[in-house]
Amino acid sequence: MEHPVSLSFVADRDYGPAATSQQLLAFLDQAITITRDLGPELRNFCEGLGALSQRFSEERFHLAVLGQFKRGKSTLLNALLGQPLLPTSVVPLTAIPTFLRPGPQLQARVAFKDERPSEEFTCRHAPEMSAFLARYVSEDQNPRNRLGVAQVEVFLPAPILERGVVLIDTPGIGSTFRHNTEATLNFLPQCDAALFVVSADPPITEVEIEFLREVRAKVARIFFVLNKVDYLSQAEREQAAAFFKAVLHEQLEFPEDVSLFCLSARQGLEAALGHDAGMWEASGFKSITAYLMDFLAEGKASVLREAIARKAADLVAGVLMRLDLEVRALVMPLAELEERQQIFEQRLVDIRQQQQMAGDLLAGDRKRMHQFLEDKAAALRGRAMAALEKVLDEALAVVKGSDYHLPAQEALDNQVPTFFERELGLFIQEVDQKVTEVLRPHELRATELIASVRQTAAELFDVPYHAPESEGAFIVKRKPYWVTAKWLVSISPTPPIHLDWLFPHSMRMARVRKRLLAQIEELAGRNVENIRWATLQNLDRTFLLFGSALKQRLEDTVAATYGAIEAVGRRRQEHAGEVEGEVARLKSSAASLRILEVKLASLAIT
Ligand SMILES: Nc1nc2c(ncn2[C@@H]2O[C@H](COP(=O)(O)OP(=O)(O)O)[C@@H](O)[C@H]2O)c(=O)[nH]1
Ligand SMILES: [Mg+2]
């Protein structure tokens, strides 16, 4: 009988895109072997190819499961994984995301919001894991997340995870803390796709529609799931699906024929555990798994594959140029070689000057980015003050009874995290966009410099010229993260009652208002400072990495051209004579690399 969860029936099918990924890794491997055999001078190329190969194997697709609590998100993931790993419950769980990643054995890592070290846990069986996780993510064992958990990672061997995907169980909306909806929204732009889960009972709510509206703006691909169809007859299923599609179309402008999976996560899990292929198919899991697998192979993987193939082809072109130059330098009369070497040296002086200028320009832009950040922070402080003052006045306006302080403070405590979560998301987006914009001309300038080194070498030594790869050559990719900032909510947890009661009503209100306003100012100042500081660290890191990547690339190019020629010149002066053996060896490696270059280039084309 077909094993329902091994997914082998999917993996065994001939997947064009998956096969191409294997090819890419194989080509990279071959190129690495050849460059390694060419000697230590090519170590940089070898390492560069190794890094590309590693990145290709590690780069993962992030698929988040979204929806209101109790729609069956965790059960659905358990079914996909074929084991009851994630705690599920009839009561809402706390607002902590769980990242499911591939690993050799069942293991969990719990990260905290403060500096406490992560907690690790290893076990053999899924139910043990579920019990462990429940200590951190369930409302009854970790009420209001008083343990301060930031995120949970679970590592496990599972076929779907081997296919290059990280699955993310989200607390979803309607969970314990309102501001976590904001945190979820901030995190969404880093997700590559989402499974949006609803069920028929109750039908999709206003809150879900609103949430979906925001999700749609932030996630490139959304798949819809109508879960818990085991409660429904065939006719009811069709009705529920039609209703859901109509809502998606009419209220959210999704296409009328949007794809929707009708699932029973509960039956799916049961089928997986009992190896029941019939039930697996009936639960809808056979088709959604096949669909997801296809998508994973076709979707993002192909974009990444093309980019990696392009960069690899570029590196191989660099090695080839080096080999061509070495061969030329070996067979050229020694006097002629020395003369051209000198001309190259002079050109390099000019190129070094340009490099210096490029470095200065980059430093200037980094300073300007700091200023940009300061300006943004100042504006945010103003916006925060205005927004929170409004919250304060609205709260004071509806106060009944004689205590103004407590209700107002409560309203603020409620709004502060939500406000700052949202602003943090916007802040990060804006700074990211600006950084990309600012770095682009630097990238082009660096590519030009590298091109001029290669061109000089090609002209002087009459070897083929290959333009360097420029598109996104320096992009530093950020890993998806979950916003874990801990917002400062209130300054004085025990309200200072002072002598308010001595004053008449109107004055009492004014006193409270003044006091809380001072607190708001302090709060806004400190929370904005947190955002500013975190963003500044990120910004500086990006510039630093960019600068060193740029420098490295230029050094590699100079070493592969001028350096190679110089080395040959030195060798020939030291022991004149036999060069045929070396020329033959270099030519043979070059021939193999030329074939690989063509193959890589063919994978780089869409
Ligand atoms: N009948 C039925 N119940 C389900 C199904 N999927 C989940 N449930 C139940 O719905 C409740 C909430 O499920 P859970 O996965 O924790 O939902 P989450 O909050 O969205 O993660 C649990 O009691 C599950 O057993 C399903 O397909 N059919
Ligand atoms: Mg859940």
Side-chain angles (χ1 to χ4, degrees):
M1 192 189 69
E2 192 177 66
H3 189 296
V5 281
S6 76
L7 306 176
S8 60
F9 59 97
V10 178
D12 290 348
R13 274 204 340 236
D14 179 26
Y15 270 95
T20 329
S21 296
Q22 290 309 315
Q23 271 177 351
L24 173 58
L25 285 173
F27 295 160
L28 280 166
D29 254 8
Q30 289 166 31
I32 289 170
T33 310
I34 298 172
T35 25
R36 192 188 301 125
D37 290 348
L38 280 166
E41 299 86 31
L42 284 155
R43 204 180 51 224
N44 283 345
F45 284 106
C46 204
E47 281 170 4
L49 289 165
L52 285 180
S53 170
Q54 193 181 353
R55 168 146 176 234
F56 186 66
S57 339
E58 278 176 6
E59 183 89 357
R60 302 219 157 241
F61 194 90
H62 287 81
L63 177 68
V65 182
L66 304 173
Q68 202 157 17
F69 71 89
K70 283 192 0 193
R71 292 298 196 181
K73 297 182 296 296
S74 305
T75 313
L76 187 156
L77 281 168
N78 285 342
L80 278 179
L81 297 167
Q83 38 188 320
L85 196 73
L86 297 162
T88 59
S89 170
V90 285
V91 294
L93 296 176
T94 39
I96 296 156
T98 307
F99 291 74
L100 299 151
R101 301 180 187 280
Q105 56 176 351
L106 204 47
Q107 192 180 19
R109 189 190 297 146
V110 179
F112 297 97
K113 288 184 176 186
D114 54 25
E115 272 74 62
R116 268 174 295 165
S118 313
E119 193 153 326
E120 309 230 342
F121 176 76
T122 312
C123 64
R124 300 269 300 275
H125 304 292
E128 281 175 76
M129 182 52 83
S130 177
F132 171 80
L133 295 176
R135 300 213 312 251
Y136 297 95
V137 303
S138 74
E139 187 59 27
D140 51 344
Q141 294 186 61
N142 179 16
R144 301 208 60 142
N145 190 18
R146 68 171 175 217
L147 297 175
V149 177
Q151 71 171 42
V152 177
E153 283 171 296
V154 179
F155 301 86
L156 70 151
I160 191 165
L161 301 179
E162 300 307 329
R163 298 293 291 245
V165 65
V166 174
L167 297 171
I168 306 153
D169 190 15
T170 67
I173 45 171
S175 49
T176 322
F177 302 123
R178 229 179 328 144
H179 77 267
N180 278 296
T181 304
E182 291 296 335
T184 307
L185 290 172
N186 285 343
F187 158 79
L188 289 181
Q190 304 156 58
C191 288
D192 301 299
L195 272 175
F196 197 93
V197 184
V198 295
S199 58
D201 185 29
I204 184 166
T205 61
E206 259 323 299
V207 181
E208 281 171 302
I209 293 172
E210 269 324 297
F211 181 53
L212 196 44
R213 206 182 294 282
E214 304 222 36
V215 172
R216 187 190 47 188
K218 294 184 167 169
V219 183
R221 286 298 303 266
I222 308 176
F223 309 115
F224 295 100
V225 169
L226 179 68
N227 190 33
K228 306 198 188 183
V229 296
D230 50 299
Y231 282 134
L232 310 174
S233 68
Q234 188 55 38
E236 286 169 330
R237 274 178 203 198
E238 278 161 24
Q239 231 176 354
F243 171 75
F244 184 37
K245 281 188 184 181
V247 170
L248 289 178
H249 178 59
E250 284 157 21
Q251 304 209 28
L252 295 154
E253 289 111 41
F254 279 99
E256 255 167 304
D257 58 344
V258 68
S259 53
L260 170 69
F261 295 94
C262 290
L263 298 182
S264 168
R266 180 174 283 178
Q267 276 175 6
L269 180 59
E270 210 179 307
L273 291 172
H275 303 309
D276 183 337
M279 194 197 248
W280 179 249
E281 185 164 0
S283 69
F285 272 81
K286 183 171 176 178
S287 61
I288 194 174
T289 325
Y291 189 90
L292 285 177
M293 289 296 193
D294 258 342
F295 175 73
L296 292 177
E298 217 10 276
K300 178 171 175 195
S302 66
V303 176
L304 180 68
R305 194 174 54 231
E306 280 155 28
I308 299 271
R310 212 164 34 235
K311 290 192 173 75
D314 184 50
L315 277 176
V316 170
V319 176
L320 275 171
M321 184 158 193
R322 177 185 180 116
L323 298 184
D324 289 345
L325 285 169
E326 281 182 328
V327 170
R328 286 286 291 155
L330 279 167
V331 297
M332 193 177 265
L334 199 53
E336 204 182 327
L337 173 61
E338 280 168 3
E339 191 188 314
R340 295 189 192 193
Q341 207 177 303
Q342 269 174 13
I343 302 176
F344 204 156
E345 257 170 58
Q346 281 158 15
R347 298 259 184 99
L348 274 182
V349 172
D350 181 43
I351 288 169
R352 291 290 185 203
Q353 251 167 18
Q354 289 179 47
Q355 183 190 7
Q356 177 71 43
M357 258 160 53
D360 293 345
L361 288 173
L362 186 66
D365 269 341
R366 177 170 165 173
K367 271 206 193 109
R368 271 185 287 279
M369 275 306 293
H370 280 183
Q371 190 54 50
F372 173 81
L373 187 61
E374 296 308 326
D375 294 347
K376 287 270 153 216
L380 174 56
R381 214 172 291 122
R383 266 203 312 283
M385 280 299 295
L388 297 178
E389 189 174 341
K390 193 162 157 253
V391 171
L392 173 63
D393 285 335
E394 279 167 9
L396 287 175
V398 296
V399 164
K400 295 189 191 72
S402 58
D403 184 9
Y404 291 104
H405 190 108
L406 263 183
Q409 171 121 23
E410 245 173 57
L412 283 172
D413 286 359
N414 246 332
Q415 286 300 317
V416 163
T418 311
F419 177 85
F420 283 105
E421 283 295 355
R422 181 178 314 130
E423 289 292 337
L424 176 72
L426 293 173
F427 206 85
I428 292 173
Q429 255 170 34
E430 253 181 285
V431 173
D432 262 9
Q433 228 166 39
K434 183 83 179 167
V435 168
T436 311
E437 200 179 290
V438 164
L439 289 182
R440 185 69 190 141
H442 293 282
E443 201 172 319
L444 291 176
R445 202 172 294 118
T447 307
E448 255 169 49
L449 265 180
I450 287 159
S452 72
V453 177
R454 281 195 187 176
Q455 234 152 9
T456 305
E459 273 166 26
L460 280 175
F461 291 84
D462 194 23
V463 298
Y465 167 73
H466 184 278
E469 153 75 12
S470 71
E471 199 55 39
F474 301 106
I475 293 301
V476 187
K477 194 175 181 310
R478 278 199 296 128
K479 289 245 153 43
Y481 67 104
W482 183 269
V483 177
T484 59
K486 200 172 179 178
W487 304 114
L488 208 59
V489 185
S490 57
I491 293 170
S492 47
T494 47
I497 302 303
H498 300 296
L499 303 168
D500 286 350
W501 57 275
L502 285 174
F503 294 84
H505 263 290
S506 58
M507 276 177 80
R508 202 186 300 168
M509 164 111 91
R511 276 173 62 88
V512 170
R513 187 172 186 279
K514 190 169 165 223
R515 205 161 56 225
L516 284 173
L517 264 184
Q519 285 200 19
I520 288 175
E521 189 158 9
E522 166 94 24
L523 257 176
R526 285 169 65 180
N527 280 332
V528 170
E529 177 52 22
N530 284 348
I531 296 181
R532 190 198 67 87
W533 174 249
T535 315
L536 182 69
Q537 302 308 304
N538 232 333
L539 189 75
D540 276 349
R541 187 174 158 271
T542 306
F543 268 81
L544 212 69
L545 285 178
F546 181 88
S548 60
L550 196 143
K551 200 160 156 239
Q552 186 63 49
R553 230 181 133 213
L554 190 65
E555 290 312 322
D556 286 351
T557 310
V558 171
T561 51
Y562 174 77
I565 294 158
E566 197 204 14
V568 171
R570 219 176 322 113
R571 277 209 303 282
R572 286 187 61 189
Q573 269 166 353
E574 279 161 17
H575 14 241
E578 233 271 278
V579 297
E580 271 118 59
E582 196 176 353
V583 169
R585 186 178 70 92
L586 293 176
K587 279 188 171 168
S588 138
S589 296
S592 313
L593 282 175
R594 238 176 275 284
I595 295 170
L596 276 176
E597 188 195 12
V598 172
K599 287 180 173 171
L600 284 167
S602 76
L603 289 184
I605 301 163
T606 332

